[in-house]
Amino acid sequence: MVETIIQDISIEALRNGDRAEFAQLVDAYSAPIYRLGLRMLGNEQDAEDVLQNTFLSALTHLPAFEGRSSVLTWLYRIAVNEALMILRRGKPEVNIDDTDSSDDNDQISPTQFVDWSALPEDELLSAEGKQALDTAIRNLPENLRMVFLLRDIQDLSIKDTADTLNLTEVNVKVRLLRARLLLREQLSYYYGERMKKEKSNG
Amino acid sequence: MVESTHETCEGLLGSLSDYIDGDLGAELCRQIEKHIAECEDCRIVVDTTRKTIDLVHASNDPQTGLPDDVRNRLYKRLNLDDYLKPSAK
């Protein structure tokens, strides 16, 4: 995650092909890139492909990197594109562009009003609870999931998320809200059922 | 959500992310807090959405490093073997 990342990587040295500097870049950013791939694609082999291809691509394109965005945003953008290429192998319809915003104006209306927010932490973060959360994240539509992963899991700002995905900030905010509300719905359903079961078991 | 405050419930939903992220001005926060004090459904939506995001953060361990074998293969692929340091884990 961002806080573990060192700040003193020299763009100039990277552009000039300094291998030690590139090794430092790989050392600093490989874990978050791998985690992003894992979250996006759901399996270790694809995540490793994303990781390797991202740094190979970075190596090729570093001389042209103008430093207009942060290195992290730039690497994430490459990683997202690599992951999308893998996703499209199986599903050519995957599209996260701004033009794919036909449903962005539809407000998601909450339908679940079970208050599970005060359940004990150990219950919410049990192995089963975590699995429910992972499944809910995986079930998000692709265009919402990408925004959610970058903003809420990788901890990018709204602006960096927008830059990474080539979306407007407004679009990022709309999709983030939809993603959060959809997750909330799914978790409310899940914990609602559990609370009902516990009640009936006395 | 309650019918009589429908518009306000909709308005709250639109500002929900900004409210939870602490990106909303004091006056709008005050309006939302006043609303959720009176509207139980919206109070639940705010609390459970906030909890959802907390759970996402709590279950996402940023300290999870790269598995050693993945790391070794990456450095090899990038011809950086000579920079391979022991994992920080």
Side-chain angles (χ1 to χ4, degrees):
Chain A
M1 198 166 277
V2 184
E3 68 266 25
T4 63
I5 286 163
I6 45 175
Q7 301 295 326
D8 57 352
I9 291 175
S10 159
I11 305 294
E12 197 54 39
L14 286 173
R15 273 208 220 105
N16 292 333
D18 185 323
R19 289 181 70 240
E21 203 70 9
F22 189 68
Q24 216 180 344
L25 181 83
V26 175
D27 193 48
Y29 296 119
S30 51
I33 299 281
Y34 181 71
R35 280 199 299 272
L36 176 65
L38 212 47
R39 283 281 186 184
M40 276 181 70
L41 299 163
N43 76 76
E44 290 164 2
Q45 184 55 57
D46 285 343
E48 187 169 347
D49 286 348
V50 166
L51 177 69
Q52 293 190 358
N53 291 343
T54 296
F55 283 106
L56 283 171
S57 175
L59 203 53
T60 309
H61 293 105
L62 264 173
F65 176 60
E66 292 174 358
R68 275 186 295 201
S69 61
S70 74
V71 186
L72 179 63
T73 309
W74 182 68
L75 284 174
Y76 273 148
R77 194 179 301 153
I78 299 173
V80 164
N81 286 327
E82 291 292 338
L84 283 176
M85 264 192 274
I86 292 175
L87 277 174
R88 285 183 187 127
R89 269 188 226 150
K91 295 184 283 182
E93 72 280 8
V94 170
N95 187 357
I96 58 146
D97 299 344
D98 248 344
T99 49
D100 178 39
S101 58
S102 52
D103 58 358
D104 278 357
N105 293 324
D106 298 341
Q107 180 96 291
I108 289 178
S109 296
T111 61
Q112 304 281 329
F113 299 103
V114 182
D115 188 4
W116 50 271
S117 63
L119 284 175
E121 286 287 306
D122 57 350
E123 188 169 345
L124 292 172
L125 288 168
S126 66
E128 202 187 318
K130 278 186 183 177
Q131 203 181 352
L133 179 62
D134 281 348
T135 306
I137 293 172
R138 253 201 320 277
N139 285 344
L140 287 174
E142 209 59 59
N143 60 348
L144 304 187
R145 197 156 64 100
M146 302 292 281
V147 169
F148 179 78
L149 289 181
L150 290 176
R151 173 75 181 111
D152 277 346
I153 295 189
Q154 304 295 115
D155 218 17
L156 261 62
S157 66
I158 295 282
K159 184 182 182 310
D160 284 347
T161 305
D163 287 350
T164 303
L165 297 174
N166 263 337
L167 298 172
T168 64
E169 289 185 39
V170 170
N171 211 294
V172 165
K173 284 189 170 197
V174 169
R175 291 186 191 192
L176 181 67
L177 176 63
R178 288 171 61 84
R180 287 171 165 183
L181 287 174
L182 276 175
L183 277 187
R184 191 207 74 89
E185 283 288 302
Q186 292 195 57
L187 289 187
S188 295
Y189 182 77
Y190 171 77
Y191 286 116
E193 290 296 303
R194 275 182 59 150
M195 285 162 76
K196 253 192 262 169
K197 247 186 247 169
E198 275 167 27
K199 214 173 175 183
S200 68
N201 290 341
Chain B
M1 304 216 179
V2 275
E3 196 62 37
S4 59
T5 55
H6 181 77
E7 273 187 31
T8 324
C9 295
E10 289 270 306
L12 178 138
L13 212 54
S15 301
L16 185 60
S17 270
D18 285 340
Y19 176 64
I20 289 174
D21 291 343
D23 293 336
L24 221 50
E27 175 54 23
L28 283 174
C29 284
R30 200 193 54 78
Q31 284 175 18
I32 286 181
E33 275 142 25
K34 181 169 181 288
H35 177 78
I36 59 180
E38 294 161 357
C39 178
E40 178 66 358
D41 282 352
C42 280
R43 201 269 306 157
I44 291 174
V45 170
V46 169
D47 284 353
T48 50
T49 305
R50 184 180 281 131
K51 198 76 192 176
T52 298
I53 299 164
D54 286 350
L55 288 181
V56 168
H57 288 154
S59 67
N60 182 47
D61 183 1
Q63 299 311 319
T64 308
L66 205 56
D68 282 344
D69 53 338
V70 175
R71 194 158 172 273
N72 291 344
R73 286 192 293 270
L74 173 67
Y75 275 67
K76 203 167 162 46
R77 183 89 195 271
L78 297 169
N79 289 325
L80 291 172
D81 308 46
D82 43 334
Y83 291 97
L84 203 50
K85 288 180 286 190
S87 159
K89 274 188 294 184

